[in-house]
């Protein structure tokens, strides 16, 4: 332990190094100059200069979700901190571990409306898992270490540490608090054994069981995914994934039913509705998944495994709640299942799979192909065909393209699919891709984008150029805020209020302006060549794919409807107008 | 599932640090939970513990949510539901100002006596009464004072503790 007093800024750097931090994403300003000075004088931590603080947080999220490590952000006071708020909220909603260091005016000026002062802890309190304002240099090293512990343990999330400038300059001894037990915050990770026994009993008796798995499995780490995969295969039960859980179970496994929810698979949603045992592992009965609550899976018993007790019995009442880390819980389930030599109810299960095959036979992702216009589904199918077998990562923006990407790109492993699920943040994909690429320099990282979303953090093209990051942006350019247009078509009589993407830039020229390569596809026949060129071109590439402007995203459970009231295509859409109750839902 | 609205008194032990009350209140307002009353004070100076007592109402599912959400806050040490964890005591303190002369003034004194309220300030035409008791008892007292010249009320909100030897 060092005894020489060092500056607060140096204490922060020491703590980051002791936490194993290799990269931080940030943007400088007056209130963090001492920290930037400390960064300048060291060479253990790499700083990535973004072009907007929101992007710093999304990049840290991309880094965190593709590595399992904590993402770190450094921004200045006032506007630096307020710009980071969307990213923090995104990380909170999707349970991404992020530590965000914000500069603050010196302690004696706090509350004086000083230049670039904002009440950062006040503003970020509801959008972080926890936050700190460090008012005394003696607390500094403890707080920074604690911030990492809080961000990564339990249900992960963003933590803000607000650092007044005088604290960064004050001197004190550094102490490594990395392994200190917290006095009040110690989330339960090991499940209650008796509950595991009950769960296994229920599973062995089930006639129409279904695994419903979510982002919690991904957050628990690759080992949790592996054990879960083993458990699913051992039981032979079908397994559906949420948007956040894609990749937690191999998509190519015949037991996988694919995505569940509003734009999920027909077979998944019907299985949700008709199952008699739902085994929810690390998902949270989000409204995009449940549809109308009163019609949600009416005949099933429900088991819910979650590390966060407040997720349990929040939207849906469950029959068996197991609090604990997914990894531990699934490990115990496996052990108990094997020890008991449990067997699924073979005859009932075979009947259940028969039923599922009938749903599958509807081929819900079918669309009308075209030789003239590029169907968005076709573009993504070709993209997937070209990247599968490679080490690829997909990030997305928000909209129809996001849902199509979730439907048409298959993930065999966790941590390779990064999308803004809970908050639905347009502008997430490009900075997230940058974060992924920093962590995995050799990998193929593609942001599947919409032409509207990409403009929300387009400035990050400059960041990618600076660090020579070979990220690819695959724009599904339908010239509309497609998802908004789709809802207006379904719910508002086709009055397309402000949803046309007018005055779009020429993305190929834009690529040129930023030092990227720009490509364009306008015909289905060009798709394969363009994708090949995109992949083979070194450095960052933007691909502008002119897709069908009026294509809607199906299948769809209209808001306020039940899982067995899905629309499969434009024909269904005309037949079933959306209910009044559905209209008020988002 | 139709569920009855219930009133619960919840005790929360927290680290007495900056922002902790804002966290608790923000949780209630952000998630649309009710606060009927809230009291807070440091109860252990050595360990810097504050105790927050919240009276809230909601369906059993909401009450369960409230407790779980409170437990999730980093500076929260313990959450106990005094309404269901066993028998408990609830007290409030009230200060009531009553203005009046003549018969009404005498009557207010008489009622205060029955309720064991104390006179803590008086002028020729006013009294300030101090009283502790359950919320219901204080409400009854206020109701009786209303026609006798009640002009102002200040009350603490509920503090509560479990009966018996167990400490939380
Ligand atoms: C920051 C933000 N603002 C607004 C929205 C609402 N919104 C959801 S999807 C969407 C349209 C996205 O258009 P585009 O990126 O072109 O994707 P498309 O749906 O056309 O594939 C909008 C405006 C949002 N999700 N995020
Ligand atoms: Mg679009």
């Amino acid at each position: 332990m060092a005894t020489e007093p060092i500056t607060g800024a140096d204490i922060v750097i020491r703590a980051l190094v002791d936490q194993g931090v290799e990269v931080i994403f940030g943007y400088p300003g007056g209130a963090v100059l001492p920290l930037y000075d400390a960064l300048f004088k060291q060479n253990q931590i790499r700083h990535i200069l973004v072009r907007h603080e929101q992007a710093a947080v999304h990049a840290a999220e991309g880094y965190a979700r593709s590595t399992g490590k904590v993402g770190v952000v450094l921004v200045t006071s006032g506007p630096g901190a307020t710009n980071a708020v969307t990213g923090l909220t995104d990380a909170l909603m999707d349970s991404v571990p992020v530590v965000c260091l914000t500069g603050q005016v010196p302690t004696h000026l706090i509350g004086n409306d000083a230049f670039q002062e904002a009440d950062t802890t006040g503003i970020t309190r509801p959008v972080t898992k926890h936050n700190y304002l460090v008012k005394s240099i003696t607390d500094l090293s403890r707080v920074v270490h604690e911030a990492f512990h809080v961000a990564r343990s339990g249900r992960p999330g963003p933590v803000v540490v607000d650092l007044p400038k005088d604290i960064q300059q004050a001197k004190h001894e550094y102490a490594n608090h990395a392994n200190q037990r917290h006095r009040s915050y110690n989330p339960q990770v090991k499940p209650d054994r008796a509950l595991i026994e009950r769960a296994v009993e229920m599973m062995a008796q089930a006639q129409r069981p279904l695994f419903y798995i979510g982002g919690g499995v991904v957050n628990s780490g690759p080992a949790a995914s592996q054990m879960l995969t083993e458990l699913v295969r051992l039981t032979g039960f079908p397994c559906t994934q949420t948007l956040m859980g894609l990749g937690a179970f191999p998509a190519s496994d015949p037991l996988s039913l694919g995505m569940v929810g509003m734009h999920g698979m027909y077979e998944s949603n019907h299985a949700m509705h008709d199952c008699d045992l739902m085994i929810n592992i690390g998902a949270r009965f989000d409204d995009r998944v449940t549809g109308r609550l009163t019609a949600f899976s009416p005949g099933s018993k429900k088991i819910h495994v979650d590390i966060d007790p407040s997720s349990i019995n929040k939207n849906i009442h469950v029959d068996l709640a197991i609090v604990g880390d997914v990894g531990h819980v699934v490990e115990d389930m496996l052990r108990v299942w094997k020890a008991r030599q449990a067997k699924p109810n073979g005859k009932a299960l075979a009947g259940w799979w028969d039923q599922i095959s009938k749903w599958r036979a509807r081929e819900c992702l079918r669309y009308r192909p075209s030789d003239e216009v590029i169907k968005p589904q076709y573009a993504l199918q070709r993209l997937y065909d070209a990247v599968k077998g490679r080490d690829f990562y997909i990030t997305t923006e928000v909209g129809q393209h996001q849902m199509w990407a979730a439907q048409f790109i298959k993930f065999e492993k966790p941590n390779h699919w990064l999308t803004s699920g809970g908050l639905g943040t347009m502008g997430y994909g490009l900075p997230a891709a940058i974060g992924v690429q920093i962590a995995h320099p050799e990998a193929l990282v593609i942001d599947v984008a919409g032409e509207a979303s990409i403009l929300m953090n387009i400035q990050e093209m400059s960041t990618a150029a600076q660090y020579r990051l070979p990220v690819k942006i695959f724009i599904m350019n339908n010239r509309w805020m497609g998802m908004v247009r789709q809802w207006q078509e379904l719910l508002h009589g086709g009055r397309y209020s402000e949803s046309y993407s007018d005055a779009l830039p020429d993305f190929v020229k834009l690529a040129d302006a930023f030092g990227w390569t720009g490509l364009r596809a306008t015909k289905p026949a060009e798709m394969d060549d363009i994708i090949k060129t995109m992949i083979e071109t070194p450095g960052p590439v933007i691909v502008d794919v002119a897709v069908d402007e009026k294509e809607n995203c199906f299948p769809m459970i209209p808001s306020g409807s039940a899982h067995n009231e899905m629309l499969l295509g434009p024909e269904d859409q005309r037949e079933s107008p959306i209910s009044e109750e559905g209209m008020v839902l988002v | 599932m139709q569920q009855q609205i219930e009133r619960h008194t919840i005790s929360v032990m927290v680290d007495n640090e900056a922002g902790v009350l804002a966290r608790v209140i923000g949780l209630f307002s952000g998630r649309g939970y009710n606060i009927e009353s809230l009291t807070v004070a440091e109860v252990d100076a050595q360990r810097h513990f504050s105790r927050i007592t919240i009276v809230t109402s909601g369906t059993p599912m909401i009450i369960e949510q409230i407790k779980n959400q409170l437990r999730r806050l980093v500076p929260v040490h313990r959450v106990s539901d005094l309404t269901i964890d066993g028998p408990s005591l609830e007290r409030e303190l009230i200060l009531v100002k009553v203005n009046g002369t003549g018969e009404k003034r005498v009557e207010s004194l008489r009622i205060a006596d029955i309720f064991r309220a104390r006179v803590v300030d008086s002028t020729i035409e006013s009294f300030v009464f101090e009283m502790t008791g359950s919320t219901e008892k204080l409400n009854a007292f206020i109701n009786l004072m209303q026609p006798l010249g009640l002009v102002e009320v200040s009350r603490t909100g509920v503090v509560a503790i479990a009966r018996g030897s167990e400490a939380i």
Side-chain angles (χ1 to χ4, degrees):
Chain A
M1 205 170 277
T3 44
E4 281 289 292
I6 55 175
T7 67
D10 285 328
I11 289 176
V12 171
I13 302 294
R14 289 277 303 265
L16 296 183
V17 169
D18 284 347
Q19 284 290 338
V21 174
E22 290 165 1
V23 187
I24 63 185
F25 300 89
Y27 205 93
V32 283
L33 285 177
L35 274 163
Y36 272 87
D37 201 42
L39 271 175
F40 189 84
K41 292 188 250 172
Q42 57 84 48
N43 54 15
Q44 282 162 293
I45 296 175
R46 185 173 177 209
H47 179 272
I48 303 297
L49 178 69
V50 294
R51 301 301 190 264
H52 187 292
E53 290 86 352
Q54 180 192 351
V57 186
H58 293 324
E61 288 184 272
Y63 181 88
R65 279 165 71 173
S66 65
T67 59
K69 297 183 198 163
V70 177
V72 184
V73 176
L74 171 58
V75 298
T76 193
S77 65
T82 56
N83 270 352
V85 168
T86 301
L88 294 168
T89 314
D90 191 88
L92 183 75
M93 294 290 273
D94 285 344
S95 310
V96 188
V98 167
V99 168
C100 176
L101 309 169
T102 55
Q104 182 55 278
V105 301
T107 44
H108 69 273
L109 286 181
I110 290 179
N112 279 358
D113 300 323
F115 177 63
Q116 295 198 325
E117 179 183 359
D119 176 7
T120 299
T121 46
I123 292 169
T124 61
R125 197 171 290 125
V127 302
T128 51
K129 180 170 173 186
H130 194 52
N131 63 15
Y132 302 86
L133 169 60
V134 182
K135 281 191 176 161
S136 160
I137 182 78
T138 56
D139 294 334
L140 183 58
S141 52
R142 177 186 58 79
V143 166
V144 177
H145 283 290
E146 197 178 298
F148 277 84
H149 169 64
V150 171
R152 78 160 76 84
S153 62
R155 179 176 178 177
V159 176
V160 162
V161 182
D162 202 21
L163 298 164
K165 195 169 180 182
D166 55 325
I167 302 291
Q168 298 170 40
Q169 284 166 319
K171 288 196 165 179
H172 195 68
E173 298 89 49
Y174 169 74
N176 185 345
H177 295 267
N179 297 314
Q180 197 159 313
R181 191 184 148 82
H182 195 276
R183 45 194 244 129
S184 56
Y185 170 79
N186 294 293
Q188 180 185 350
V189 293
K190 291 228 161 76
D192 181 339
R193 186 59 186 256
L195 299 177
I196 302 285
E197 302 269 352
R198 281 271 329 271
V200 168
E201 239 160 66
M202 289 163 80
M203 283 157 64
Q205 278 162 15
Q207 311 215 337
R208 298 183 309 279
L210 177 68
F211 279 100
Y212 151 45
I213 71 171
V217 184
V218 180
N219 271 336
S220 186
S225 279
Q226 252 161 34
M227 286 186 289
L228 179 66
T229 303
E230 189 186 342
L231 180 67
V232 174
R233 287 178 180 160
L234 208 58
T235 58
F237 295 173
C239 175
T240 182
Q241 303 96 41
T242 66
L243 180 71
M244 305 311 290
L246 294 177
F249 184 77
S252 62
D253 192 298
L255 300 175
S256 172
L257 301 190
M259 185 167 74
V260 68
M262 184 173 271
H263 291 288
M265 305 292 284
Y266 187 76
E267 48 269 40
S268 290
N269 287 325
H270 274 271
M272 277 291 233
H273 190 269
D274 286 3
C275 65
D276 76 338
L277 178 68
M278 184 182 294
I279 310 147
N280 171 346
I281 312 236
R284 60 183 177 95
F285 294 110
D286 176 77
D287 56 69
R288 290 295 103 149
V289 161
T290 59
R292 189 166 78 239
L293 282 178
T294 49
F296 177 69
S297 192
S300 64
K301 290 242 183 294
K302 298 171 187 77
I303 299 173
H304 188 179
V305 177
D306 207 302
I307 198 158
D308 177 5
S310 76
S311 279
I312 293 172
N313 291 332
K314 181 174 65 179
N315 303 331
I316 294 287
H317 179 81
V318 297
D319 301 277
L320 183 67
I322 303 178
V323 174
D325 177 59
V326 166
H328 288 285
V329 174
V330 173
E331 188 180 8
D332 286 1
M333 281 180 166
L334 260 180
R335 197 180 309 131
V336 172
W337 182 276
K338 286 178 182 163
R340 289 188 170 201
Q341 299 182 303
K343 294 264 170 331
N345 181 336
K347 197 155 153 260
L349 196 57
W352 179 225
W353 274 110
D354 273 349
Q355 174 60 62
I356 291 171
S357 313
K358 285 183 195 132
W359 289 322
R360 272 183 169 160
R362 294 291 295 267
E363 295 183 46
C364 67
L365 294 185
R366 223 167 15 169
Y367 60 94
R368 237 176 269 137
S370 163
D371 293 334
E372 259 101 75
V373 294
I374 303 174
K375 289 285 177 179
Q377 301 94 326
Y378 176 75
L380 285 170
Q381 274 178 324
R382 298 319 301 152
L383 179 69
Y384 174 57
D385 244 35
V387 300
K388 74 175 168 209
R390 290 173 184 265
D391 181 23
F392 73 91
Y393 291 80
I394 301 289
T395 70
T396 76
E397 307 293 334
V398 172
Q400 292 178 320
H401 63 277
Q402 175 190 28
M403 293 298 119
W404 279 315
Q407 292 171 342
F408 286 91
I409 301 177
K410 313 281 180 212
F411 297 89
E412 303 299 313
K413 292 180 282 190
N415 305 99
H416 288 246
W417 160 250
L418 297 93
T419 195
S420 172
L423 195 64
T425 313
M426 292 169 70
Y428 169 86
L430 174 55
I434 286 173
V436 175
Q437 193 82 74
I438 290 285
H440 309 275
E442 304 301 324
L444 175 61
V445 184
I446 305 171
D447 172 25
V448 174
E451 83 294 334
S453 296
I454 194 62
L455 289 178
M456 285 213 179
N457 269 320
I458 195 74
Q459 76 288 342
E460 296 310 313
M461 289 178 73
S462 182
T463 307
Q466 177 175 346
Y467 298 97
R468 300 180 206 292
L469 303 173
V471 296
K472 320 293 180 196
I473 303 178
F474 192 78
I475 303 179
M476 313 273 286
N477 189 344
N478 54 7
R479 307 197 141 258
W480 288 88
M481 298 173 192
M483 193 56 98
V484 174
R485 194 199 46 73
Q486 177 166 347
W487 281 55
Q488 288 172 333
E489 186 178 320
L490 257 61
L491 291 148
H492 297 277
R495 290 177 296 281
Y496 300 126
S497 180
E498 304 295 328
S499 53
Y500 185 66
S501 289
D502 215 330
L504 282 172
D506 178 330
F507 287 108
V508 175
K509 284 193 186 147
L510 191 70
D512 199 40
F514 277 104
W516 287 40
T517 304
L519 305 169
R520 176 170 292 126
T522 54
K523 304 238 154 36
E526 298 166 353
M527 260 345 286
D528 285 349
D529 276 350
I530 292 279
I531 290 169
K532 188 159 178 276
T533 314
M534 174 189 87
I535 294 172
E536 285 172 1
T537 304
V541 182
I542 201 164
V543 187
D544 185 12
V545 185
V547 298
D548 191 344
E549 294 188 14
K550 288 291 167 68
E551 190 74 14
N552 282 342
C553 185
F554 294 105
M556 177 176 188
I557 305 177
S559 42
S561 299
H563 280 163
N564 54 358
E565 300 165 355
M566 293 193 85
L567 311 181
L568 278 179
E571 307 76 32
D572 297 348
Q573 174 183 328
R574 275 185 287 279
E575 277 162 27
S576 48
I578 287 173
S579 66
E580 295 253 324
E581 304 93 87
M583 290 276 285
V584 304
L585 301 174
V586 184
Chain B
M1 208 187 318
Q2 279 304 66
Q3 290 187 315
Q4 287 294 313
I5 302 281
E6 298 173 355
R7 182 174 179 274
H8 283 238
T9 304
I10 293 169
S11 204
V12 191
M13 282 296 206
V14 298
D15 279 330
N16 183 13
E17 61 180 35
V20 66
L21 188 59
R23 267 178 229 291
V24 171
I25 293 174
L27 174 68
F28 275 73
S29 63
R31 293 188 181 264
Y33 306 142
N34 288 316
I35 300 183
E36 288 182 13
S37 106
L38 184 144
T39 63
V40 56
E42 188 171 76
V43 290
D44 184 336
Q46 227 147 41
R47 293 192 294 169
H48 299 290
F49 278 1
S50 283
R51 180 172 181 138
I52 302 177
T53 308
I54 305 165
V55 181
T56 184
S57 59
T59 62
M61 208 155 149
I62 295 284
I63 301 284
E64 223 23 67
Q65 259 300 299
I66 291 173
K67 289 185 276 184
N68 282 329
Q69 292 289 352
L70 284 168
R71 287 191 184 106
R72 210 157 80 122
L73 299 177
V74 169
V76 167
H77 286 260
R78 249 204 95 137
V79 176
S80 42
D81 186 338
L82 293 169
T83 304
I84 56 172
D85 289 353
S88 63
L89 289 168
E90 292 190 6
R91 288 292 180 272
E92 261 195 273
L93 185 141
I94 194 173
L95 297 171
V96 181
K97 187 175 285 182
V98 179
N99 291 356
T101 50
E103 201 36 51
K104 283 189 174 173
R105 184 170 162 86
V106 177
E107 183 62 11
S108 71
L109 256 189
R110 241 170 39 83
I111 292 173
D113 198 41
I114 296 167
F115 275 79
R116 296 211 185 85
R118 290 198 302 137
V119 176
V120 288
D121 179 70
S122 75
T123 67
I124 303 175
E125 70 262 12
S126 73
F127 287 123
V128 175
F129 296 111
E130 174 203 303
M131 185 178 131
T132 58
S134 68
T135 302
E136 296 73 37
K137 187 172 158 194
L138 301 193
N139 289 345
F141 183 66
I142 290 171
N143 285 341
L144 287 172
M145 286 297 164
Q146 211 87 49
L148 301 177
L150 181 144
V151 291
E152 191 177 340
V153 175
S154 178
R155 60 200 285 178
T156 56
V158 171
V159 293
I161 203 161
R163 289 180 185 271
S165 58
E166 286 290 305
I168 72 166

